[in-house]
Amino acid sequence: MKLLIFSLLIFLIAFQEQISCFSFSIPVSPGYYQNGHFVIGGLFSLRVTARYSRFKFGFNDTMTIPEAVIVNLTKNYQHMLAFIFAIEKINKNPNILFNMSLGFYLFNVDFSERKAMESSMALLSGESPPIPNYSCRPEKTDKLVAVIGGISTGISTQISRVLSLYNVPQISYAPFDVSLGTRVQLKSAYQFPVHTAALYQGIIQLLLYFTWVWVGLVVPDDMRGELFIKEITKEMVSHGICVAFSEKGPVFTSGVVVGWYQLLLSITLTRVVLAFGDTHDFLTLVSLILCFAVFGNVWITTSDWYTITLPFQQNRIYTSFGGALSFSVHKDEILGFKDFQRSVQPRKYPHDIFIQCVWLILFECPHFYEHGVKELSQCEQNGSLSTRSVKVWDMSTSPLSYKVHAAVYAIAHALHEELSLRVNGESLDKGGLQAPLPWKLHPFLQKGQGGRNINEENAVNHEVSATKLDIFNYQSLQSGTKAQVKVGEFVFESHSVQHLSLNDKLINLGELHNQAAFSVCRQSCLLGFSKTQVDWNTFCCYDCVPCPAGEITNETDMVQCFKCPQDQYPNKQRNQCLPKVMTFLSHEDTLGAVLFSMAISLSTFSAMILGLFIHYRDTPIVRANNRNLSYVLLVSLMLCFFCSLIFIGQPRTVTCVLRKMIFGVVLSVAVSAVLAKTFIVVVAFKAIKPGSTFQMWMATRLSKAIVCCGSIIQVCICAVWLGTYPPFPDVDMQSEYGQIILLCNEGSTLAFYCVLGYLGFLASLSLLIAFLARRLPDTFNEAKTITFSMLVFCSVWISFIPTYLSSTGKTMVAVEIFSILASSAGLLGCMFLPKCYMILLRSHGHSRKRFFK
């Protein structure tokens, strides 16, 4: 750890400018004074110094270094030039101050709050170093009307602590901070307003444009940073953007650098980083990033602080910050300011002590020391700022320079209003008219009417109705120069009226991002997967789980899978709903063709047996058990085989009704015929004794009565079923995957099972009677065959019920057909095959005469 901190110190010192103005800084700069009827103070920050910085290695070990110049921020000298340019323009316009002039008293306070307070006291006392509560040079202090400064909220606060004691107006050109007035009881701090909602919405729309939803936040360690985190986090969450981390950047001040390793680790693990702040907020952060070679991030910033720090290390800066996108409030160029910058030379402003340092750095001049101060020697005295590289000097007006220029005009117009009231339109006596007391300018500054001229309009402490933000992209030009290129803009009027426009062709997100960067906690969930939030993280971190069976997702990153419509089904990837296929048991199906063939074959076989019985109708074997009942039974069985054909094909209303009704009635006729035969067997063998009381039962009417009664009861049941809740065509969309099964709904399930129950009753009764008659003489005795046939019949239909209930779709229909065929075939085979055998092979031995011998 000690070695790490030591290397960081060496790195910071190594990044001193190649030519520094001072080896070690003095407490307060002497200042740059120009006399006038009224004097405006200016407190600017041109360099970064480290004063007695203390770095902590452990609990007890510390290391200190004396104050030294770390970085000279040459671009910040433009703030002073904007101040001087505004003063000169105002002095050339006799209508503003009634032929009176403005003077100035400028100080460099570095980025030190202590120096800002000391310089503020120097403005009031007229001496540097200052003598508090004393006016040592009245010709300076009595003319002071207002002060412009400082560059940060912290510096502005310290300036206000001094100036507010004397009620001297102060206009801060620092970024707008709503908390500035709450730090101390300020009466004199004015700020240039900015629509914070516009900045927040611009950032949100930019993130959404690139679909960056996993973003880290880096803010200053102050109230401004805390407020930004609170407000931007609320906006991000409401738009579905997650905060990967929120860290407070180390501010470059004397003290202990703590927590920097956590910040660097967070930045390394996050692709897109949003940094809110300015140059003074991230000086240490830039040094840390370059020291540890952190790169590969896309930075979104609220100012171009990365282009200002360490100007002679822009190649390394670009490695880490190339492709950064920054927001800046749109401002028009100040007319004539570029020409003014071209004309600036040390000879033109010989009393400007700050231009000496800037010129040494910009033109890399040899120098020597005189009384501890570097002097120009053999330098380009006639050089022009326009010839310098953009990395050390930018001719375009920076946002802060624009604010400084506007602040001077705001004070000048306040003076104009105050002077106008005093003279009441009369001619001015410049000799007798003294500078107004500073506090008298407050009413005019509060009106916000300062800063207006022919081509610009600025307001102080006033709300703004519409805001236009320019979006810049830090990129390398073809010439190799690293520069900020405008790639778009954001116009904000209200939350409902806003517009983001970007030129994609101009945007370059850096060497590592030829295409758009991808910033999410994890990859999007593909089609067929849904997001499941991870409990320990934010809603942007989630797991992707496959959709359950029967559900799909047709978009990425869906939170919940959904079911397909009933007439559709999911594909195997579960990312699309496909139309289901209409299907039913048809003749083209293999199963349907097999069942159809079986039904036709069995019907033909029944017809053949019927023909055989008709042909041998006079033989004893045919006549023995009432051949008419045999004919009825064979015809009913043949009809049973034929009725199974109605079950094959597309269900319709007629076929659905006929299926159940014909099946129930025809099969009941067959079973009733079997029951009648069973009674005849018993009666036949009881009637062999002459004069038996059972002889009457041998009559044909008995068999007809049993068949008719048994059939009529079933017809009645079917009629009730048909009249209440008959069968109807229906669809089954759930049983078979990807299919819609067309089937017949039984309608009344109770009626359906009543039909089956009645058939079971007839069959059971036949089985019981046949079983009791099984011991009668074998010849011509059908009791045994009836017993076996009823056993088969009952077994089939008992097995039918659970099988039918557990079947779905076409299988259910096939089970029903098979049960009809199997039970009918059982009756046909058990009862008639033995008789056919006897008729064809043994008919000569079967006669009643032989039987009685």
Side-chain angles (χ1 to χ4, degrees), residues 175-186:
F176 185 80
D177 187 355
V178 296
S179 64
L180 180 62
T182 63
R183 296 169 183 266
V184 290
Q185 295 297 325
L186 303 179

Side-chain angles (χ1 to χ4, degrees), residues 300-315:
I300 300 175
T301 65
T302 55
S303 67
D304 58 347
W305 44 267
Y306 44 84
T307 65
I308 299 176
T309 57
L310 310 176
F312 289 98
Q313 297 292 332
Q314 285 302 298
N315 288 333

Side-chain angles (χ1 to χ4, degrees), residues 526-539:
L526 302 178
L527 303 182
F529 292 81
S530 63
K531 296 195 300 186
T532 299
Q533 184 175 341
V534 179
D535 294 337
W536 52 266
N537 215 318
T538 60
F539 63 87

Side-chain angles (χ1 to χ4, degrees), residues 13-48:
I13 295 175
F15 274 158
Q16 293 185 45
E17 305 300 336
Q18 296 179 3
I19 305 172
S20 298
C21 294
F22 302 95
S23 295
F24 296 98
S25 60
I26 59 179
V28 179
S29 64
Y32 174 25
Y33 180 78
Q34 178 177 299
N35 196 17
H37 293 92
F38 315 105
V39 174
I40 301 176
L43 303 178
F44 301 95
S45 301
L46 304 182
R47 62 190 179 183
V48 180

Side-chain angles (χ1 to χ4, degrees), residues 200-201 204 207 217 225-243 246 274 495 539:
Y200 297 155
Q201 291 302 316
I204 295 298
L207 295 175
L217 302 180
E226 293 178 0
L227 182 63
F228 177 80
I229 289 179
K230 177 182 177 181
E231 295 184 353
I232 197 65
T233 300
K234 183 191 303 182
E235 291 291 337
M236 290 171 67
V237 170
S238 66
H239 288 82
I241 303 172
C242 293
V243 178
S246 56
L274 171 60
H495 285 277
F539 63 87

Side-chain angles (χ1 to χ4, degrees), residues 75-129:
K75 291 185 178 181
N76 283 9
Y77 182 63
Q78 191 189 70
H79 306 164
M80 282 190 176
L81 293 184
F83 187 102
I84 296 171
F85 176 64
I87 293 288
E88 292 184 359
K89 285 203 302 181
I90 291 170
N91 289 338
K92 290 178 182 179
N93 187 346
N95 296 323
I96 297 179
L97 297 179
F98 305 100
N99 286 322
M100 304 178 77
S101 63
L102 278 177
F104 54 79
Y105 200 179
L106 308 183
F107 286 89
N108 172 33
V109 300
D110 298 334
F111 281 87
S112 170
E113 295 181 5
R114 177 185 59 83
K115 290 184 180 180
M117 183 173 287
E118 293 175 355
S119 297
S120 300
M121 291 188 289
L123 283 172
L124 297 172
S125 67
E127 286 291 337
S128 179

Side-chain angles (χ1 to χ4, degrees), residues 455-466:
N455 76 313
E456 64 185 18
E457 181 174 332
N458 302 286
V460 180
N461 278 11
H462 267 217
E463 291 290 335
V464 290
S465 57

